[in-house]
Amino acid sequence: MTPDLVDRLAIRDLIENWAVWRDAGDWERFAGVWHDDGVMMATWFQGPAAEFIRVTREGWARGVGILHFLGGTSIDLAGDRAVAQTKMTISQRAEVHGVACDVVCTGRFHDFLEKRAGRWGLVLRQPIYEKDRIDPIDPAARLELDAALLSQFPPGYRHLAYIQTGIGYAVKRDMPQLTGPEVERLYARGKAWLAGGPTPP
């Protein structure tokens, strides 16, 4: 097996473990997919991985239900650095105006990774939010959204932001989407990272 293939398999394993361990509440192993200076960006949280784990555990204890499902992965390798993009969905369940609902957002995890002392770890995870929808769990239930509030959020994660705002989170409103300047800047940062540039902010 070539070193390139070994690295690709290790990165894919890390990405898959992130989703399984996070959603299973396996916090000790989940912490192991990050480097110590790792950063997580999400609609509802932006900051150090250790803090992300802490607040995720707190939300877990309160019954916040956010789950992840992964699709295909594309990996660009440059020595001990890599950028990986993985198709994914984020699903969250909560009450919206008294109606139990599921929101599903489709997008990609855009990951900056580095191999240090022989171990691959996440330096930055920045999701790209492509499209989403919200549905009552009971198909007979009638759900009426606040159109004025809904329109304030970016179209790629409009319903996800709506449900997260409703349960008390402050949602970041300039996250990368399928197209636009934010995602173009993210791609440029990925190329700079692979070329040996500084750690992404």
Side-chain angles (χ1 to χ4, degrees):
M1 190 177 295
T2 66
D4 179 272
L5 183 55
V6 170
D7 285 334
R8 291 179 182 277
L9 290 173
I11 291 168
R12 186 179 295 273
D13 188 55
L14 181 155
I15 291 167
E16 292 175 354
N17 286 339
W18 190 102
V20 173
W21 292 342
R22 186 264 172 225
D23 289 358
D26 192 342
W27 308 117
E28 184 175 349
R29 288 203 289 178
F30 181 56
V33 305
W34 304 88
H35 284 308
D36 289 343
D37 57 348
V39 171
M40 179 68 196
M41 300 292 289
T43 52
W44 61 276
F45 174 90
Q46 305 88 44
E51 182 69 6
F52 172 68
I53 295 168
R54 184 187 67 79
V55 298
T56 299
R57 294 183 69 168
E58 291 176 354
W60 175 285
R62 296 196 309 272
V64 175
I66 303 175
L67 300 173
H68 304 82
F69 191 82
L70 303 181
T73 298
S74 172
I75 301 169
D76 293 314
L77 271 174
D80 288 342
R81 288 188 172 188
V83 170
Q85 294 191 71
T86 304
K87 290 295 296 180
M88 58 83 177
T89 60
I90 302 168
S91 63
Q92 184 164 357
R93 177 167 289 186
E95 282 203 357
V96 181
H97 308 310
V99 178
C101 293
D102 281 333
V103 61
V104 175
C105 183
T106 299
R108 281 167 282 155
F109 285 134
H110 193 287
D111 295 328
F112 294 66
L113 304 109
E114 191 167 27
K115 185 163 66 172
R116 302 175 185 172
R119 182 183 75 86
W120 284 99
L122 277 167
V123 177
L124 171 67
R125 167 157 282 187
Q126 171 61 74
I128 298 169
Y129 301 89
E130 297 176 342
K131 69 172 185 176
D132 71 345
R133 61 180 291 163
I134 189 169
D135 299 286
I137 296 171
D138 178 358
R142 180 174 176 80
L143 176 65
E144 293 188 12
L145 302 181
D146 181 334
L149 177 60
L150 187 67
S151 68
Q152 295 177 21
F153 303 119
Y157 55 102
R158 179 163 287 161
H159 300 90
L160 183 63
Y162 191 98
I163 199 170
Q164 290 177 342
T165 299
I167 62 175
Y169 288 112
V171 172
K172 186 172 172 60
R173 303 191 184 195
D174 60 350
M175 300 294 269
Q177 300 175 76
L178 182 59
T179 60
E182 292 85 4
V183 78
E184 293 300 328
R185 285 195 292 269
L186 179 61
Y187 294 152
R189 289 166 64 196
K191 290 179 181 178
W193 172 251
L194 292 174
T199 301

